[in-house]
């Protein structure tokens, strides 16, 4: 029997890390090769991570919501020598007991390293009791804690929603069992059982580790604040990054704030605690004479109290109705892309309005034919064909400026990105070769890409290679905007809502009159380094001509 560790694979070109959104398995579950074990959100898409082994889940090394670098171990499996899956939970205990009698080299090293600190520790197999076949709902952290404390998670009464077992439930069950058995001898604190990762996992740490051990206690010295020593601490990825940079254990940072019943630590509290550790109070060389009585402990707070006060002050600020939302994944990617575009390309936006009576009539006439083919026909395919006509007439709007080479590339492909609003942010799937496709084909492809974008099922390749982008803010409401270019493209066209608005037309008697007519507001942003304002206006005129006379689209 061997332990196989599985690292987070490269889930997309150029992706360095991903947020582990949810685990699809739990320790003790049997999995097969290529079975999805986790959902990971990158800055490009939400993907499922498949297993590389047939076996039984041994340990989960990351919490849901944690940012995990590509290449880090996220899960381990128990497999036999041939790599086949184990028969079931009843065989797991027998196999683990047999492996204790003939441990492999890795297990010997782990046992040897653990021998100095816990010579009487029980084998890993004994610290993970058998679980009945019935399903027990518990997060990975609660299951790990149960194994560390030698608690059968199936025997714990869950207090969470739907009977979900929490870490507090596990600790309460363990303390109740210890009290019933009379506790340790001579009043000594019991030695914690080793986690399953102590065998066969080298120095890999579990997602939940016991606090208050020798390693955490050794970090403080002199007048440094005493660690809080919690079991679990919640924090945003930004706060965890600060903790790593300041070499601080989040479980040791004092805080009075909680989220979902668990301690919550902010970056400000981490910095305050780290400052207190780095600058402990030192006695002066020559104490000044004191006329009054010595101040008590409350008059001059210790660094730990200062850190706690800072954390408490921050917590009170954040509790005033504010909500903290992590800035990561697709949202962070959008922000970086918009920042790069806005601060790299000087934007100019040209506004105009097309009178689209004939377009509305053409769509209404074609809708029944589209429905007969199972296609929902919107205005977007018409606009896409009109844009291609404009790009062919004015190729500088279908270009890319390569600054390092000091050259402008005029693209001969017409790949249009369609901005789609999703719960995770704005995503831009790309429709390739628009000039080679018909209206119904474009409608079907756009509808498919938009649906899969909202479901986070787009492939990374489906969001690459665009030469021009369309954003339809009119679908939500509004007339004009100043769209930000999808860099390194050089132009983007924003569409307002098609509505009846007052327009001036020549009447039957030759006099001008104001009448209601359907119009389409257009907002064209350009990179002014590449495209002049006059060229932008000419492009808009070409697009409007195509939309106002849709029979011209038949030539595209």
């Amino acid at each position: 029997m061997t332990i196989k560790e599985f690292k987070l694979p490269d889930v997309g070109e150029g992706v360095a890390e991903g947020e582990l959104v949810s685990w699809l398995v739990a320790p003790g579950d049997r999995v097969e090769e290529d079975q999805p074990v986790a959902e990971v959100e990158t800055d490009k898409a939400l993907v499922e991570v498949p297993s590389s082994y047939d076996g039984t889940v041994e340990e989960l090394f990351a919490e849901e919501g944690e940012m995990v670098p590509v290449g880090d171990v996220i899960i381990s499996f128990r497999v036999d020598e041939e790599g086949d899956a184990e028969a079931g939970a009843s065989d797991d205990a027998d196999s683990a007991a047999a492996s204790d009698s003939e441990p492999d080299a890795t297990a010997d090293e782990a046992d040897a390293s653990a021998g100095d600190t816990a010579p009487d520790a029980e084998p890993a197999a004994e610290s993970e009791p058998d679980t009945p076949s019935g399903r027990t709902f518990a997060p990975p952290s609660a299951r790990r804690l149960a194994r560390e404390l030698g608690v059968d998670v199936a025997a714990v009464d869950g207090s969470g929603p739907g009977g979900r077992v929490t870490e507090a439930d596990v600790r309460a069950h363990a303390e109740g069992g210890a009290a019933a058995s009379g506790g340790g001898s001579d009043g000594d604190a019991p030695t914690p059982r080793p986690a399953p990762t102590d065998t066969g996992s080298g120095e890999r740490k579990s997602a939940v580790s016991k606090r208050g051990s020798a390693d955490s206690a050794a970090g403080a010295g002199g007048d440094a604040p005493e660690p809080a020593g919690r079991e679990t601490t919640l924090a945003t990825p930004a706060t965890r990054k600060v903790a790593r940079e300041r070499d601080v254990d989040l479980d040791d940072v004092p805080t009075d704030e909680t989220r979902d019943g668990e301690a919550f630590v902010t970056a400000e509290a981490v910095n305050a605690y780290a400052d207190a550790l780095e600058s402990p109070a030192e006695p002066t060389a020559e104490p000044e004479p004191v006329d009054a009585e010595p101040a008590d402990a409350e008059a001059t707070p210790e660094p730990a109290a200062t850190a706690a006060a800072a954390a408490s002050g921050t917590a009170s600020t954040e509790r005033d109705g504010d909500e903290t939302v992590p800035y990561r994944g697709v949202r962070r990617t959008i922000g970086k892309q918009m920042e790069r575009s806005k601060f790299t390309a000087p934007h100019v936006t040209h506004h105009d309005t097309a009178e689209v009576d004939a377009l509305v009539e053409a769509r209404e006439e074609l809708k029944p034919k589209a429905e007969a083919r199972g296609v929902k026909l919107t205005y977007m395919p018409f606009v896409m064909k009109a844009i291609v006509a404009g790009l062919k007439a004015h190729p500088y709007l279908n270009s890319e400026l390569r600054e390092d080479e000091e050259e402008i590339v005029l693209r001969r492909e017409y790949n249009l990105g369609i901005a789609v609003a999703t719960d995770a942010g704005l995503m831009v799937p790309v429709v390739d070769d628009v000039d080679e496709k018909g209206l119904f084909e474009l409608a079907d492809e756009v509808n498919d890409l938009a649906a899969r974008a909202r479901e986070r099922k787009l492939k990374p390749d489906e969001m690459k290679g665009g030469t021009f982008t369309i954003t339809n803010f009119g679908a939500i409401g509004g007339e004009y905007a100043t769209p930000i270019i999808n860099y390194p493209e050089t132009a983007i066209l924003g569409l307002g809502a098609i509505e009846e608005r007052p327009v001036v037309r020549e009447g039957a008697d030759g006099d001008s009159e104001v009448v209601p007519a359907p119009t389409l507001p257009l907002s064209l942003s350009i990179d002014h380094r590449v495209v002049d304002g006059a060229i932008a206006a000419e492009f808009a005129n070409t697009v409007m001509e195509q939309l106002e006379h849709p029979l011209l689209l038949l030539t595209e």
Side-chain angles (χ1 to χ4, degrees), residues 5 16 30 47 53 83 187 216 223 244 254 282 295 311 321 334 342 428 451-452 485 488 515 552:
E5 292 185 336
R30 182 171 178 266
V47 296
Y53 303 101
S216 62
D223 295 327
R244 289 195 297 269
E282 297 182 359
I334 294 171
K342 195 66 176 177
V428 186
R452 289 192 290 115
I485 298 167
V515 297
L552 293 175

Side-chain angles (χ1 to χ4, degrees), residues 35-391:
Q35 175 182 335
V37 296
E39 289 183 321
V40 174
E41 181 182 53
T42 70
D43 56 2
K44 299 182 184 297
L46 181 70
V47 296
E48 291 183 340
V49 178
S51 169
S52 295
Y53 303 101
D54 287 344
T56 302
V57 177
E58 169 71 10
E59 191 74 12
L60 307 180
F61 294 105
E63 294 284 357
E64 293 181 351
E66 181 179 344
M67 297 298 294
V68 182
V70 170
D72 274 18
V73 175
I74 59 172
I75 189 172
S76 62
F77 302 94
R78 292 196 304 273
V79 299
D80 62 15
E81 296 299 334
E82 292 74 27
D84 295 331
E86 293 176 294
S90 61
D91 295 333
D92 292 346
D94 296 338
S95 300
S99 65
D100 287 341
S101 61
E102 297 180 2
D104 55 20
T106 306
D108 290 339
E109 294 174 3
D111 292 340
S113 62
D116 296 336
T117 56
D120 298 328
E122 299 180 21
E126 296 182 10
S127 66
E128 184 177 2
D130 292 339
T131 301
S133 58
R135 179 71 171 173
T136 300
F137 294 97
S141 57
R143 293 180 181 273
R144 291 190 201 92
L145 182 61
R147 288 193 297 276
E148 292 176 358
L149 300 179
V151 171
D152 183 354
V153 71
V156 179
D157 294 330
S159 62
R164 186 178 179 88
V165 176
T166 66
E167 293 180 47
D169 297 332
V170 174
R171 285 192 290 270
H173 185 90
E175 292 170 0
S181 61
S185 60
D186 301 329
D188 294 336
T191 303
R193 296 173 180 260
T197 51
D198 292 339
T199 301
S201 297
E203 297 180 354
R204 174 65 52 186
K205 292 184 178 180
S206 171
V208 175
S209 57
K210 292 289 290 181
R211 314 312 313 164
S213 56
D215 57 344
S216 62
D223 295 327
E226 182 179 353
R230 291 181 296 273
E231 295 284 352
T232 302
T233 300
L234 302 181
T236 65
T239 300
R240 295 183 184 277
K241 180 180 179 181
V242 172
R244 289 195 297 269
E245 293 174 348
R246 301 296 301 270
D247 195 21
V248 168
D249 191 328
L250 284 173
D251 293 336
D252 292 340
V253 179
T255 181
D256 294 330
E257 186 174 0
T258 60
R259 297 283 175 86
D260 298 328
E262 299 288 354
F264 181 83
V265 168
T266 64
E268 290 79 4
V270 171
N271 284 323
Y273 178 75
D275 292 341
L277 286 177
E278 294 172 357
S279 303
E282 297 182 359
T284 58
E286 296 181 0
E288 298 180 359
V290 179
D291 296 333
E293 295 183 359
D296 56 17
E298 295 181 357
T300 306
E302 293 295 321
T306 304
S312 177
T314 303
S316 63
T317 302
E318 293 186 359
R319 280 199 296 265
D320 293 339
D322 295 337
E323 179 182 0
T324 301
V325 179
Y327 180 60
R328 61 190 179 211
V330 174
R331 172 57 59 191
R332 183 177 61 180
T333 300
I334 294 171
K336 289 182 178 180
Q337 178 74 355
M338 295 298 99
E339 179 183 9
R340 180 188 182 192
S341 177
K342 195 66 176 177
F343 288 99
T344 301
H347 283 53
V348 171
T349 304
H350 173 88
H351 300 287
D352 219 323
T353 303
E355 299 177 16
V356 291
D357 312 60
L359 176 63
V360 173
E361 294 175 0
R363 174 176 173 262
E364 289 300 320
E365 185 176 345
L366 291 176
K367 278 179 65 176
K369 296 182 179 180
E371 292 174 356
R373 299 187 185 184
V375 176
K376 179 182 178 181
L377 184 62
T378 64
Y379 291 108
M380 184 60 71
F382 297 93
V383 175
M384 295 170 73
K385 300 296 283 187
I387 288 174
V388 169
L391 295 178

Side-chain angles (χ1 to χ4, degrees), residues 353-358 360-361 497-505 513-521 548:
T353 303
E355 299 177 16
V356 291
D357 312 60
V360 173
E361 294 175 0
I498 295 181
E499 295 177 351
E500 283 199 345
R501 298 178 177 88
V503 298
V504 178
R505 289 182 176 171
E513 58 181 353
V514 178
V515 297
T519 62
L520 171 60
E548 292 173 355

Side-chain angles (χ1 to χ4, degrees), residues 445-530:
E445 187 169 351
V446 168
N447 293 336
D448 173 63
L449 288 172
R452 289 192 290 115
R454 296 185 183 97
E455 296 171 359
R456 306 297 308 282
K457 294 182 178 180
L458 284 176
K459 300 176 182 178
D461 289 343
E462 293 176 317
M463 294 184 284
K464 297 179 182 179
T467 62
F468 187 97
T469 298
I470 309 170
T471 176
N472 183 19
F473 47 81
I476 301 174
E479 294 186 49
Y480 300 100
T482 55
I484 297 179
I485 298 167
N486 190 12
Y487 189 83
E489 298 170 10
T490 55
I492 181 173
L493 181 64
L495 308 178
I498 295 181
E499 295 177 351
E500 283 199 345
R501 298 178 177 88
V503 298
V504 178
R505 289 182 176 171
E506 185 177 345
D509 56 0
D511 296 333
S512 296
E513 58 181 353
V514 178
V515 297
T519 62
L520 171 60
L522 303 176
S523 300
L524 174 68
S525 291
I526 57 171
D527 183 345
H528 213 344
R529 299 173 302 174
V530 179

